[in-house]
Amino acid sequence: PRGRHPMATMSNLLVRAPRAGPQRRAPKGAQSVGDSHTLSLFVACGACAKTSSRGARWSKSFHRRNPRPCHATPSSQPVCPATERDALVRLAETQNRGIDHTPGDRAAMEAAVDALLDACPPTTTTEKENNTSHSKLSANWRLLWTSEKETLFLLKSWPGGSGNGVAVATQAYQRIDVHNKTLMNSVVFSNGNAFDVDSSIAFETETDPANGVRTFFQFTNAALKLKKPIEATLNLPPVGKGWFDTVYVDSYLRVARDSRGDTLVVCRES
């Protein structure tokens, strides 16, 4: 069924708690808050996270251990006032990507997102300029903040960043290719190991040109890449589909709200 979570078939690994969060506004052109297709299947590899390996398919540029600084790409897209955007980014950093965030922290983050949307509402009018267009959505995105529990579980349980000059912090990424209608979520652990979830995507504009914020996804493959004690790839059967609304995106930052009630903040690496 629509919205079924991939972890529904792995309930012995994780008992999902009911989600309770502040009510948030749906953006203009969207029916309700949406689904960021974050990294739910990754909890399935919890015991293996320290021995999974980086995948070859997305190459060094995506599975590198040292994240690149986020940057704005040259763009003719209108730039919204930096005050609200910069405040949101600072808050995400202060809250350590959402790890151990409290209800008060969540409320503060949602208020910061709403302030950004007040300053710069989502573009929903034309295929060329809407928030699901290739120029805006296609990129390698690195996680700055999320409320998604499974992702936060992995970031907290295997944080990396030992400070010895070798290990770096475990990172979560999302790669979107609008032209090929693909989405890949990846958690790259501090030793370079990775767990990837692939999806096919479609857009609300295909049936409703006025809605330029919603992206539908369906999982197509999940792979745990092992390096030690043996080098291998373990494919897992993905189950689930849903949608997310890109409520804000510019040449640097993207914010999404999803069908599970989660919020995702990511920055563009390339």
Side-chain angles (χ1 to χ4, degrees):
R2 177 181 294 273
R4 183 179 179 186
H5 195 273
M7 289 308 300
T9 60
M10 305 180 187
S11 58
N12 59 315
L13 296 174
L14 177 68
V15 177
R16 295 182 53 75
R19 296 188 178 275
Q23 296 296 315
R24 304 184 300 281
R25 301 171 307 182
K28 294 179 181 179
Q31 298 174 357
S32 63
V33 293
D35 187 345
S36 56
H37 179 209
T38 42
L39 315 167
S40 307
L41 266 175
F42 298 151
V43 72
C45 71
C48 307
K50 293 183 179 179
T51 58
S52 56
S53 80
R54 81 183 70 180
R57 183 159 51 128
W58 288 102
S59 76
K60 297 177 181 177
S61 65
F62 194 52
H63 283 149
R64 61 186 172 274
R65 286 185 292 171
N66 296 296
R68 296 174 181 171
C70 291
H71 66 281
T73 57
S75 173
S76 60
Q77 300 166 13
V79 178
C80 294
T83 303
E84 289 80 6
R85 188 185 72 175
D86 292 349
L88 190 151
V89 172
R90 287 194 299 270
L91 184 61
E93 182 178 0
T94 300
Q95 293 190 8
N96 191 22
R97 296 183 291 180
I99 298 171
D100 290 330
H101 70 268
T102 66
D105 293 333
R106 175 72 186 273
M109 177 57 68
E110 299 300 342
V113 171
D114 287 340
L116 180 61
L117 297 185
D118 286 339
C120 188
T123 301
T124 62
T125 52
T126 67
E127 181 179 357
K128 181 178 180 181
E129 297 177 351
N130 68 48
N131 283 6
T132 61
S133 62
H134 175 76
S135 62
K136 289 191 174 184
L137 197 56
S138 293
N140 289 337
W141 300 96
R142 176 162 55 85
L143 179 71
L144 296 181
W145 192 93
T146 185
S147 61
E148 210 275 338
K149 292 182 178 180
E150 290 77 19
T151 303
L152 294 173
F153 169 80
L154 291 181
L155 294 177
K156 180 179 179 180
S157 299
W158 294 276
S162 62
N164 61 6
V166 177
V168 298
T170 294
Q171 300 290 338
Y173 295 93
Q174 189 174 79
R175 180 170 185 165
I176 300 176
D177 187 332
V178 170
H179 284 166
N180 291 317
K181 295 186 176 181
T182 59
L183 184 155
M184 179 185 184
N185 283 317
S186 182
V187 166
V188 181
F189 297 95
S190 59
N191 60 358
N193 302 333
F195 190 90
D196 302 334
V197 178
D198 295 316
S199 297
S200 60
I201 55 177
F203 306 100
E204 185 77 5
T205 52
E206 295 170 5
T207 56
D208 179 9
N211 189 327
V213 297
R214 182 156 298 180
T215 301
F216 299 98
F217 68 86
Q218 182 161 357
F219 299 121
T220 59
N221 186 66
L224 172 60
K225 311 290 177 61
L226 298 173
K227 186 176 182 180
K228 296 178 181 180
I230 60 173
E231 186 170 345
T233 297
L234 174 63
N235 292 312
L236 302 174
V239 179
K241 58 184 179 180
W243 53 264
F244 62 89
D245 286 344
T246 297
V247 296
Y248 178 84
V249 61
D250 62 21
S251 60
Y252 170 78
L253 191 74
R254 180 167 65 91
V255 181
R257 284 171 165 170
D258 69 30
S259 55
R260 296 177 63 201
D262 284 312
T263 295
L264 176 78
V265 181
V266 290
C267 67
R268 187 188 304 266
E269 282 202 345
S270 62

